[in-house]
Amino acid sequence: MDGLEDAGPRVTVRQASSDRADFTMEGVDLSFANSLRRTLLAEVPTMAIDLVEVQANTSSLADEFIAHRLGLIPLNSKNVDDVSYTRDCEYCEQYCEHCSVTLDLHARCTGDEIMKVYARDLVVSEPRPNEWVGMPVITDSLGLGSVICKLRKDQEIRMKCIAKKGIAKEHAKWAPVSAVGFEYDPHNKLKHLDYWYEEDPAKEWPKSNNAAWEDAPQDGEPFDYSAEPGKFYFDVESVGNLEPDAVVLQGIKVLQQKLALVIQELSDNDRNGDADGFGAPRSPDGMQAGGDYGINQGYTTPFGDTGGQTMYGGGTTPFGATPYGQSGWQ
């Protein structure tokens, strides 16, 4: 393990396709591998329909129902870094060509047969940040995509859809993956799992396919209390908005950015420490009158700068006064 760590992280790709990547990762610890898994699930940015302006809807489905279905249609998110987050856009307050993609949907049934409206009926409007983002992902052999709704004769829907950049931590529609398989120690040598069984755990808990990649424990082998997991098995399944290798690369990039921010904050605290040698976090003894941590707290609440008060007023909570609402600590 020590030699492997000195060599740095190592990735072995076992299977790769347009929507799935199966690989192993070595030379990292469990915390990093699990952080990458969580990042792939929730923090890789993608595009998804976020706003729907309903101009006409005479179908049997409610506006909200169709809007929800539209939001779950995967949209191409290649080079999504070219798109700004709406909250950070300096050109608009709601949406524009720099932070969004507009898709128009107009369908009307004129025949006696029931008409299906598909994802292919979404028309992307120009301009947009690049030539890829916002296009509906269509993978079926007929080139139809997901069914949005069904219309009978003389029924019509006409909607303007605004796709924005976001992450799955905000809403599941921005999820880049449908699942991330994650496993380590398939033989349970470390005893991190305590299997419940009736008669024979080996028969009732069959080994996964990953067990073939590691040596099985020998009968009577003593337990190694200093052993740590050193090989991790990932199985990333994309929903189609990003290729699986791009999802992994974006996940690593997000982790790097988050760690860089932590390092920057710690460095700033070291440079701006007080005379006592303490950084930004301070104990209640260092609080000024009114309950403020220092001169500039560096943050505000949705209720504005209330000067040490809460949303309930007077520096109190529903459970009565607290030390934060008093003039100082007693």
Side-chain angles (χ1 to χ4, degrees), residues 288-291 323 325-330:
Q288 298 181 352
Q326 299 173 5
S327 59
W329 286 82
Q330 302 297 329

Side-chain angles (χ1 to χ4, degrees), residues 46 74 95 173:
T46 62
Y95 62 85
K173 64 187 177 184

Side-chain angles (χ1 to χ4, degrees), residues 20-242:
R20 186 175 180 180
D22 188 329
F23 62 93
T24 65
M25 181 175 290
E26 300 176 74
V28 298
D29 57 18
L30 177 58
S31 60
F32 175 85
N34 191 49
S35 297
L36 178 60
R37 177 191 68 87
R38 292 170 60 92
T39 303
L40 299 181
L41 285 169
E43 299 193 52
V44 173
T46 62
M47 297 292 293
I49 293 175
D50 191 45
L51 296 177
V52 177
E53 299 177 4
V54 180
Q55 300 166 347
N57 179 21
T58 57
S59 69
S60 58
L61 299 181
D63 296 348
E64 296 82 2
F65 195 97
I66 296 179
H68 179 72
R69 293 182 64 84
L70 288 169
L72 297 179
I73 295 176
L75 302 180
N76 194 324
S77 302
K78 185 177 180 180
N79 291 354
V80 73
D81 290 340
D82 295 340
V83 185
S84 303
Y85 285 105
T86 299
R87 58 179 175 270
D88 300 330
C89 186
E90 58 184 14
Y91 299 98
C92 68
E93 295 183 358
Q94 189 174 20
Y95 62 85
C96 67
E97 62 187 70
H98 301 281
C99 64
S100 66
V101 175
T102 301
L103 301 94
D104 295 312
L105 176 63
H106 185 200
R108 180 182 177 86
C109 180
T110 58
D112 295 330
E113 297 292 330
I114 294 178
M115 172 184 175
K116 293 182 180 179
V117 181
Y118 295 95
R120 69 171 183 181
D121 298 317
L122 288 166
V123 180
V124 180
S125 300
E126 299 290 348
R128 48 183 171 148
N130 62 48
E131 59 181 307
W132 299 287
V133 292
M135 290 293 297
V137 175
I138 300 175
T139 58
D140 60 288
S141 58
L142 298 178
L144 301 176
S146 307
V147 176
I148 299 174
C149 68
K150 297 179 181 180
L151 302 177
R152 300 194 68 175
K153 187 175 182 178
D154 295 331
Q155 289 184 341
E156 177 187 13
I157 58 171
R158 186 168 64 253
M159 300 180 177
K160 180 180 179 181
C161 309
I162 309 300
K164 295 184 178 182
K165 179 180 175 181
I167 59 176
K169 185 180 288 187
E170 302 175 40
H171 194 285
K173 64 187 177 184
W174 280 297
V177 294
S178 56
V180 176
F182 179 73
E183 186 182 17
Y184 66 92
D185 188 24
H187 292 287
N188 199 28
K189 292 181 180 179
L190 303 177
K191 304 300 182 185
H192 285 185
L193 294 177
D194 186 11
Y195 293 124
W196 180 92
Y197 63 93
E198 294 181 348
E199 296 180 358
D200 187 357
K203 294 181 179 180
E204 298 172 22
W205 293 92
K207 304 297 182 183
S208 69
N209 295 332
N210 297 325
W213 287 69
E214 296 189 14
D215 296 331
Q218 303 298 322
D219 294 337
E221 179 180 345
F223 182 75
D224 186 359
Y225 289 92
S226 62
E228 295 181 358
K231 193 170 188 177
F232 306 93
Y233 304 89
F234 286 84
D235 188 356
V236 180
E237 184 177 348
S238 171
V239 299
N241 44 19
L242 285 172

